[in-house]
C-alpha cells in the first residue's frame, strides 16, 4: 500500500476451498475515491466502513463535494477513540488503512483501535507487519510507478504469507491519482504482478 | 448445502420418540426465495430468523422487490456484531447458513456469532463440521445436478450422525434456481436420496 | 399429557394439611381452548401464563379468531429467550407444557427456560421426568382413547410420586378435540382413573 | 389465623417498656374487609400493604365493588415476583398472610418473597411457624366457632413465644363473615381468650 | 426525649473549642409543631429533615392543616425503606427521633435506616442508647411534669457523656402540648436543669 | 482563618520556580462578600466553587439580595452529601472553608467531603491541621484586631510549612465586616505580617 | 515552551521512515491566537483539542471577541475533572500545554488528567519532563528574546531525546505577542535553531 501516481491496497485473504472468493472481507470501497484495507476483527471493520460510507455520502450532500481522505480518517479515529472512553461498549478490534485521492492529491492514513490516525507513504498492518514495514522501508520510494509499487505490494504479502505460490489469496485495488477512482485488480493483473515479483525478488 | 442449479439445505434433527416431527427447529423459511439452516442455540436462531423475515418483508414494501441474499446476510451479520460490542446483551449463540436465489443467481452465506459473513459454494456448520467440510472439499463440485448434491448432502449428515440408518432425523430443503422458491423435501424424497447415498458411498 | 381425541394435562401438587386445595398452582387455563401445565418456579409460571392470556385475548380482538396453540407457544418461547439475552433480568425458572385444540387440531408444546419450544405427542417435565418419559415411550400410543390416556397419566404421576395411594395430590384437566374447551377433572373422576390405573398396572 | 364464620389474625409483637403499643407493626388493615399479618422485615411489609391499599381503592373506583381477597393476593404475589426478576431492586424480605371476606366468602392467602401465593384454612408464618403449623394441623378444624378459633390462636402464639404469661405482646383482629369488616380485639378480649386458652391447654 | 404535657428533645453535641455553637447539627425544627433529633451521619439527617420540611409544607398547602407527626414519620420511614431496596443509592446512615404535637396530642416516633418507625413514650438513640434506655425505663413515667422530664433528660446525657460537668455540649428543645410550638432551651435553662439534675441524682 | 471585625483566609501554595504565581489555586472568590479556601483535590474545589458562584448569583436574581454565608455552605454541604449517596459519581475529594460577611455579620463554615458543614470561629484544614488547630485554640481569641489575626494566620502556616522563611508560598485574603468585600493581600502586606509574626513568635 | 515577546511550543515527534511528517500529532492550533502541545495518549488529546476549538469559536460568536487563554484552559480543566468524577467514562490520558496571546498578554497553562490547571512561565510535560524542568529552571528567564528561547527549547528536547542529531523529530510553533497568531516553524528554522543550540550548549 503506497503512493506514486496512485495508491495500491493489497491484502491477503486466506479462503477455504469451497468459499466463494468474489466477496472481499478486507478491502472495502467507501466512496469512488476512497478505499479501506482492514486487519483484525472483520465484523468490526465492516461496521466502521459503513460509518465511513455514511460520513462520505453525508459530506457530498452537505457540502456538495467529496470528503477529504483526512476527514474520513479523523472521523474514524474519533469514533474509535469514543469506544475506548465510554462504558457500555468495547473498543473496536481492527486497524484500518484509509487510502484515497482528493483535491489535495493522494494520501494514506492508518487508524488503530486506540483512535490515533497517522499519515504514511506506505504502511503495513496485521500479523507480520513489522517484517513488511522493514521491507518497505528498504525498498519503497514514492517516485516509483504504480506498476513497480504493485510488484512490491505482492512481494510484501508473499514475505509473510504461508502460501508463497498461488494468487487466490491476494486481493489488490488501485486508486489512480488522475481518475480518482478505486478499481480492484482482476485475477489476471494480480497474477501478472505476482510473476513480475518473482522475477525481481526471487520466489522464496 | 451447496449450489448447482439450485441449493440444498440439509440438517440433522434428533427427535425423541414421542416428539412431533412436523415442526423443524433447524431449517427456517425466511421468504419465498431464502432459507436458513442453523446450528447452535435454537431459540437464538429463531429470533434472528424473525428479524430476517421482517427485513425481507420490509425490503419488499420499500423497494417493491425481494431482498438480495447478501443483503439479508449482511443484515444478520451486522446484528450479531452489534450484540458483541454493546453491554446489556449477550452475543448470539448460533451460526446460520443463509441460502437463496435472487436476481444475481443462487448464493450461500455463513453468518457466525462474531458477526462475520462469508460466501461459500458448500459449507457445513455444527458439531462434526470439520469432517463434513473435508468430505465436501473432496467430493463436491458446483456443476453437479441437484440430485447428485442431495445424495452428497445425505452422506454428509450420515458421516457425523450417530444414527446412520433411518431418515427421521434428516431434514432437507431445496431452493430451485429457476422457481426461486424454497421447498422442503418430503420424507419419501429424503428416503430416496438416503438409499441412493448408501448405493454410492456404502453405508458405514 | 398427550393427544388422542383430546388432551390430558396431569400434575402432582403436594398440599399441606390445612391448605385449601381449590386453587391449582400448576395447571392454568389460558383461554377456552388452551391450558398450561408448569414445572419449576411457580411464580414465574404465573407471570408467563398471564402473558399468554393477554396474547390470546389480543389475538381474538385483532384477528377475530382464537390464537393457534403454536402461536401461543412461540410467543412464550420468544419471551423466555429474551430473558436469557438481555441484562437487568434473570431467565425464567420454569418449564411449561402448552396444550390446546385449534383449527389445525390438538397439539402439545414444551417451552423451556432457554426459549426453545418443541411439539410432542406426550411429554413429561419436572423431577422424575426422565422415568416418566421412558414409561410413556413404552406405553403411550396416539390412537388411545381419552380414558385410556387418563389412566396412563395417573400411572405416570404415581411412578415418581412419594405418595402412591391418595388422589388429593393429583390434578388433571382435559381438552376435548370437538368441544375445544378445557375442563378440569373432578376429584371423583380422578379417583376413578386412579383405581382403573391400579387395576391395569398394579399399585407399586 | 383461620376461617369458620370469620377469620382470626393473631401476631406477637414484642414491645419495649416505653414503646407506645397503639401502633401495630404486624397487623394492617388494607380495606374494610381485608387484613394483612406480616412476618419478616416490617418496612417492606408496610410498602406492600400500601400497594395493596392502592390496589383495593382502585378496584372500588374502577369496578364499583370491593376487591376479591384472591385478587389482592395475586397482585402482591406478582409484585414480589417482579422484585426477584429485575435488576436494580432487591426482593422483598417479608411473608404476608392476606385474610378477608368477599362475595365468595372468607379466605386466607399466604404470599412469600418468591412471589408464590397459596390458599390455606389456617397458616402460620415467622419464627416457630413449623411448630405452630403442626399444632394447628392437630387441633384446628374449620367448623370451630370464632371464639374457639381465637383461643387456639392465643395458644399458638404462646407455644413459640418467650413470654408465656402477659397479653401485651398479643395483637389479634377478627374479620366477621357477615359484617365483612375487620375489627381489632381490645386488650380485654385478648385477655379473656388468653385465660380461656390456659384453662383449655394448660399454661406451659 | 419524652411526653408529659410537652416533649423534650435533648442531644449531646461535642464542640471543638473554636467552633461556633449557635448552629445545632442534631436538633432540627421541621415545622412549628415538629422537631427531629438525629444520631449517626449528620449530612444524611439534614437531607431527611429537608424532605420532612417539604412534606410538612406541602401538607399545609394541600389540606390546609398541619401534618400529623405520624404522617411525617411514615413518610421518612418509607423514604429510608426505598433507599434500602433500590440500586444506585446507599441506605441512609442515620436514626431519627421525630417528636411533635398535633390534633391527636403529643407523640414521639423513632425512624431507623431500615425504614421501620415505632412510637415511644421515651426513647434514646446513638452510642450509649442501651444504657440510657435502661435508665429511662427505670425512672421515666409519663405523668411527670415537663421540668421533671427535662432534669431526667439532662441526667440521661450525662450518663453516657465523657464530659459530665459543663452544659456547652447539651442542646435541648421543648414542644409544649398547648402551644404546639418547638422552642429551644437557652443556655441558662439548660444550666438550671443540669444543676437540678446534679441535686437529684448526684454528679457522677 | 478567623473572625474579629473581618475574616482572614490564609493558605500555603507551594509553587514551582517557573510557575506564574498570579493565579491562586486555593483561595477563591465566590461573590463580593464570600470567599472559599480549599484543601485537597484542587479540581474538585474549582467545580464546587463554580457551583457556589452560580448559587450566589441565582440568589441575587431571585431574591434581589446577596446569599447568606450559611445558605452557600448548606448548598455545598447538600451537594457533597449527594455525591456520597448516589451511584455513578465519586464523592468530592476536598474540604472547603467558606467565609463571608452577610447581614447577620461575619461567619466561617467548614464543609467536608461527607457533606457536613459546621460553623467555626477559627479553623484549619489540610495536612498539619491538627497542629494548627491546637495552636489556634491556644492563641486565638475573637476580640483580636484584623492585623493581630493576620499575624496569627501567617504563624499558623509557618508552623506546618517546610519553607519557614519566604512569603511566596503564602496567600491571604481579608473580608472586612463593614465593607463586606473580599480583598486579597498584596505581597507587601503578606511580607509585613510575616515579619511581624517572626517578631512576635520567633522564627522557628 | 515559554514567554518573552512571544511563546514557543516545541515537541518531539518520532516518525517512522515511511510516515508522512506533515501532520503533527502533538502540536495543535486551537484558534489564531491559541496553540496546544500534548503529551500522553494522542487520540484523547485530539478530542480535547476539538472541544477547545468549539469553545473558542463559540466564544467568538457569543461575545464577539476571542477566548481568553485562561478561559480555554479552565474549560479543558473542568472537562477533564468531570471525566474523573462520573461513572461510564474513563479519565483522559493526556496532559496539555495551552499557550496563547490574548488581551492580557501571552500566557501558558498546563492542564493534567486530574483537571487541575496551573499557569507557568515555562513548563515541560511527558517523559523526561523532570530533567527538562530542571534545565529550564536553571537557564530560562522571561526576558530572553524569542530566538534565545527557541534555542533553549531545541536544547530541552535534545536533552531527553534518544536522537540527538537530526531535526525531523522536532516540531516547533511560535505565537508572537504582537501578531497574536500561531505560526509553525519551517524545517529550515528548526535546523537553524538546532545548530545555534549546538554552538551554545555543545552537542552531547
Amino acid at each position: 500500500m503506497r503512493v506514486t501516481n496512485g495508491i495500491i491496497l493489497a491484502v491477503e485473504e486466506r479462503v477455504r476451498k469451497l468459499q466463494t472468493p468474489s466477496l472481499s472481507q478486507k478491502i472495502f470501497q467507501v466512496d469512488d475515491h476512497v478505499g479501506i484495507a482492514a486487519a483484525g476483527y472483520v465484523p468490526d471493520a465492516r461496521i466502521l466502513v459503513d460509518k465511513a460510507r455514511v460520513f462520505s455520502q453525508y459530506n457530498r450532500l452537505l457540502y456538495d463535494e467529496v470528503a477529504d481522505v483526512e476527514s474520513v480518517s479523523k472521523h474514524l479515529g474519533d469514533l474509535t477513540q469514543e469506544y475506548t472512553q465510554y462504558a457500555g461498549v468495547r473498543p473496536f478490534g481492527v486497524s484500518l488503512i484509509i487510502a484515497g485521492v482528493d483535491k489535495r492529491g493522494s494520501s494514506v492514513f492508518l487508524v488503530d483501535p486506540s483512535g490515533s490516525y497517522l499519515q504514511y507513504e506506505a504502511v503495513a498492518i496485521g500479523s507480520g507487519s513489522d517484517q513488511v514495514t522493514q521491507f518497505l522501508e528498504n525498498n519503497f520510494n514514492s517516485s516509483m510507478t504504480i506498476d513497480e509499487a504493485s510488484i512490491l505490494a505482492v512481494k510484501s504479502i508473499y514475505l509473510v504469507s504461508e502460501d508463497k505460490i498461488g494468487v487466490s489469496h491476494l486481493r489488490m485495488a488501485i486508486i489512480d491519482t488522475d481518475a480518482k477512482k478505486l478499481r480492484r485488480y482482476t485475477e489476471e493483473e494480480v497474477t501478472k504482478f505476482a510473476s513480475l515479483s518473482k522475477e525481481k525478488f526471487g520466489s522464496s
Side-chain angles (χ1 to χ4, degrees), chain A:
Chain A
M1 308 106 213
R2 74 218 52 195
V3 239
T4 46
N5 57 323
I7 308 175
I8 300 293
L9 288 170
V11 297
E12 181 190 17
E13 297 196 33
R14 233 160 290 148
V15 171
R16 296 214 56 151
K17 203 168 159 234
L18 291 173
Q19 197 176 327
T20 312
S22 69
L23 180 75
S24 173
Q25 293 286 325
K26 292 193 182 159
I27 293 187
F28 303 88
Q29 180 156 9
V30 171
D31 202 339
D32 283 355
H33 64 303
V34 182
I36 287 184
Y41 186 48
V42 171
D44 281 9
R46 230 171 49 224
I47 299 300
L48 285 169
V49 166
D50 277 353
K51 291 194 187 275
R53 282 167 181 159
V54 169
F55 177 84
S56 195
Q57 292 309 311
Y58 187 76
N59 205 83
R60 281 173 183 270
L61 278 171
L62 207 63
Y63 306 111
D64 203 21
E65 59 181 54
V66 299
D68 288 348
V69 181
E70 184 181 343
S71 300
V72 173
S73 305
K74 180 168 189 312
H75 180 70
L76 293 178
D78 289 352
L79 216 68
T80 51
Q81 189 277 345
E82 223 172 81
Y83 277 71
T84 69
Q85 188 153 32
Y86 293 92
V89 291
R90 61 165 175 75
F92 283 100
V94 72
S95 291
L96 303 175
I97 293 171
I98 296 106
V101 176
D102 55 29
K103 61 182 179 295
R104 285 188 256 171
S106 64
S107 51
V108 173
F109 290 88
L110 169 63
V111 171
D112 70 23
S114 75
S116 74
Y117 71 100
L118 294 165
Q119 193 172 352
Y120 284 90
E121 292 296 304
V123 65
I125 53 178
S127 61
S129 61
D130 284 350
Q131 193 183 346
V132 173
T133 300
Q134 193 64 45
F135 174 77
L136 289 175
E137 289 179 357
N138 294 334
N139 293 280
F140 175 78
N141 93 54
S142 63
S143 56
M144 283 172 157
T145 64
I146 274 277
D147 283 5
E148 287 169 331
S150 298
I151 293 165
L152 207 62
V154 170
K155 180 63 192 170
S156 298
I157 289 172
Y158 276 132
L159 262 182
V160 293
S161 170
E162 289 170 17
D163 182 351
K164 298 186 191 287
I165 302 169
V167 298
S168 69
H169 58 312
L170 297 183
R171 298 292 163 81
M172 294 176 74
I174 177 174
I175 310 172
D176 187 88
T177 309
D178 297 328
K180 299 190 180 180
K181 295 262 185 254
L182 184 143
R183 188 175 64 80
R184 291 171 195 270
Y185 275 169
T186 59
E187 202 170 326
E188 290 71 39
E189 290 174 299
V190 176
T191 309
K192 183 188 75 183
F193 292 120
S195 59
L196 288 170
S197 160
K198 278 171 201 163
E199 274 176 35
K200 190 166 174 189
F201 296 99
S203 66
S204 72

